[in-house]
Amino acid sequence: MITIEDIDRLAALAGIRIDPAFVAGVAQAMETLLAQGRLLTDPPLAAEIEPAAVFRP
Amino acid sequence: MILLDRPIAIAGARSIARAVRSGELSAVAVIEDRLERIARLNPRLNAFTNILEDRALAEAAAVDALVAAGRDPGPLAGVPFGVKDNYDVAGRVTTAGSIINLKLPPAHEDAVLVRRLTNAGAILVGTQNMDEFAYGFTTENAHYGATRNPRDAGRSAGGSSGGSAAAVAAGLVDFSLGTDTNGSIRVPSSFCGVFGLKPTFGRLPRTGTFPFVHDLDHLGPFANSADDLALVYDAIQGFDAGDAACAQRRADPVSASLAAANDGLRVAVLDGWFHDNADDQGRAAVRTVADALGATGRVTLHGAERARAAAFVLTSASGGNLHAEALAERAEDFDPATRSRLLAGLLLPANLVLQAQRVRLLFQAEVSAAFRDHDLLLAPATPCAAPLLGQPTIGVAGRDVATRPNIGLLTQPLSFVGLPIVAVPVAGAGMPIGVQIVAPPWAEALALQTAARLEREGVVGLEAANP
């Protein structure tokens, strides 16, 4: 459960100002995002799997 | 409520171009007809945000002058089209469905694809509604209103290219251009019952369009037939150095070979994630298409759920990054549906973003393996047919889930690895639903030929403009 306090703390650490009126919505969106994020980290990936390349020299 | 209240005399890009090129029909007459139809129906549909009447009539007159002079007016002569509001149109601000962008200067030239279409004789008649910054699947825009589905005005047209799909379904224009980052061409195609093409990532240059997620954004057309889709696709292909992701490949024209038989295709239905997250109508639509193609195989793409999660995370993080400055300075000017997700994306741990890019390579390998044994894969385009506007939940796999984040469940994993896909409309008892014809990278021609074959056999396609 992501709380308003969690978002306030994260935003302060990242140097991002979020209007108090919007924090509850951000907490809800973060809850959804982290639920998706958990699918990315469990089970862990093999070390040889690299990130997809974006940069093209 | 059906909004399609009268047939139009000549419809379809190929038919119009043929008539205009032969001098049988004037381009000005075509444009006047569509402008009248737009004036009558758009106030209820809200598919267009701007009508470019003067420009359209001037360009149509120029096409007619070429015909009168015996010169070639181009393969799309006199064909009216619209573009999503994230394409640059000379002299207009590219809003991308936001009010944030109203501070930007007007575009000094058209987007590359608009220029190519204009050079081919097509006539731009307006810009079309979308979810703010393309971040949504319903085109319920807080600033510019909701686009209504032409087949049922109480229902969503889908998004984020909802205005573009609705305009084609209603016969306001004969094709449109949209964008697809996570499903924004395929979802509105499915809901509105039109054909949509999302080409391979890197096939079409995005030069002159407003970005959302640089390494997921695709451009592509909507039309009422596979033939028209191919005709438009042929006119917009080709490398452009203005888009760093655009592949240096030659154009691969498909129109001339659209009737290719392609006998012996190995076609399989996507199982697992793509079956489990579809309703009965979606599954039946896929079965109908599969039967017509003689498809007997089923393929499970392991990791599809993870790929969808990775696309979800990357989208939020990249979108947040793109709009970080505006979120800090003008958060109150964002659509509430967009703002919370972009702000959350700004706060995501870097670990998840990097992990998402690793998942991408893993899933790409899984998909490549599937294409070693199959030429095409089939899946529903959406978990269900068009929901009601404002409907908070949809039923997926026997449970109610929030509508907006879940409409892209079946499109996101596939665009995440850049595959070319044609969404084809399958009629239902009520609303239609789309089926994705998924091809290996750069095999757009195969997907379009298959869509055309299904259309010829009466398996897909709807009488859009003639209720």
Side-chain angles (χ1 to χ4, degrees), chain B residues 126 210 285 317 350:
Chain B
F210 194 83

Side-chain angles (χ1 to χ4, degrees), chain A residues 3-21:
Chain A
T3 65
I4 287 174
E5 290 72 27
D6 290 332
I7 298 299
D8 282 339
R9 208 161 31 242
L10 262 176
L13 287 169
I16 295 164
R17 187 185 63 80
I18 300 179
D19 188 314

Side-chain angles (χ1 to χ4, degrees), chain B residues 38-294:
Chain B
I38 291 169
R40 193 157 42 81
L41 294 179
N42 194 59
R44 294 169 72 195
L45 282 178
N46 197 30
F48 279 90
T49 48
N50 286 291
I51 311 300
L52 307 170
E53 183 170 348
D54 291 345
R55 170 179 168 154
L57 288 170
E59 289 186 354
V63 165
D64 286 339
L66 285 175
V67 173
R71 294 171 59 193
D72 185 353
L76 289 166
V79 180
F81 76 104
V83 294
K84 188 174 180 177
D85 244 334
N86 54 0
Y87 281 72
D88 284 353
V89 174
R92 305 201 66 84
V93 172
T94 308
T95 67
S98 75
I99 59 171
I100 301 281
N101 278 14
L102 292 175
K103 69 172 185 184
L104 299 176
H108 64 278
E109 61 181 356
D110 291 343
V112 162
L113 294 199
V114 175
R115 290 210 302 272
R116 288 178 179 175
L117 288 167
T118 303
N119 290 339
I123 311 290
L124 179 66
V125 300
T127 57
Q128 297 160 327
N129 200 17
M130 58 184 286
D131 288 285
E132 185 185 59
F133 292 125
Y135 201 2
F137 288 122
T138 63
T139 313
E140 292 170 278
N141 186 305
H143 313 298
Y144 302 102
T147 294
R148 294 179 175 275
N149 192 310
R151 300 183 188 280
D152 182 339
R155 293 184 183 274
S156 168
S160 62
S161 313
S164 305
V168 169
L172 305 184
V173 282
D174 297 83
F175 72 89
S176 294
L177 295 182
T179 64
D180 187 318
T181 302
N182 281 298
S184 288
I185 287 175
R186 292 158 289 158
V187 166
S189 289
S190 179
F191 286 179
C192 290
V194 299
F195 291 79
L197 168 65
K198 185 208 78 62
T200 310
F201 181 76
R203 171 71 88 174
L204 299 179
R206 303 166 299 181
T207 317
T209 60
F210 194 83
F212 177 19
V213 181
H214 286 286
D215 64 339
L216 287 177
D217 290 344
H218 304 70
L219 312 186
F222 296 92
N224 277 315
S225 72
D227 185 26
D228 281 358
L229 209 57
L231 189 64
V232 174
Y233 174 58
D234 284 354
I236 56 181
Q237 289 185 55
F239 174 71
D240 182 80
D243 176 0
C246 188
Q248 296 198 37
R249 298 178 69 94
R250 283 189 193 162
D252 182 15
V254 62
S255 265
S257 63
L258 204 60
N262 286 329
D263 291 331
L265 280 180
R266 300 166 304 163
V267 184
V269 171
L270 285 175
D271 213 336
W273 175 260
F274 298 93
H275 177 270
D276 297 344
N277 290 294
D279 69 3
D280 289 344
Q281 184 184 353
R283 291 173 186 171
V286 169
R287 191 72 263 156
T288 299
V289 169
D291 288 348
L293 297 174

Side-chain angles (χ1 to χ4, degrees), chain B residues 418-442:
Chain B
L419 301 171
I421 301 169
V422 175
V424 294
V426 178
M431 298 297 287
I433 198 165
V435 170
Q436 299 183 86
I437 300 174
V438 188
W442 314 112

Side-chain angles (χ1 to χ4, degrees), chain A residues 17 39-40 43 45-46 49 52, chain B residues 306 309 316 328 355 357-358 362:
Chain A
R17 187 185 63 80
L39 293 171
L40 303 181
L45 299 178
I49 299 170
Chain B
R306 250 188 171 188
S316 190
Q355 191 79 353
Q357 291 288 17
R358 295 174 71 198
L362 194 64

Side-chain angles (χ1 to χ4, degrees), chain A residues 7 11 16-18 22 25-26 29-30 32-34 36-37 39-43 45-47 49-52 54 56, chain B residues 215 244 305-306 308-310 312 316 328 331-332 339-341 343-347 352 355-358 360-362:
Chain A
I7 298 299
I16 295 164
R17 187 185 63 80
I18 300 179
F22 305 146
V26 177
M30 183 61 94
T32 305
L33 271 173
L34 292 181
Q36 295 297 311
L39 293 171
L40 303 181
T41 53
D42 183 25
L45 299 178
I49 299 170
E50 298 178 6
V54 176
R56 292 174 180 81
Chain B
D215 64 339
E305 182 180 21
R306 250 188 171 188
R308 188 263 176 170
F312 199 96
S316 190
E332 67 282 1
R339 179 177 54 225
S340 299
R341 292 178 293 157
L343 281 167
L346 271 179
L347 301 176
L352 291 182
Q355 191 79 353
Q357 291 288 17
R358 295 174 71 198
R360 194 174 204 178
L361 278 198
L362 194 64

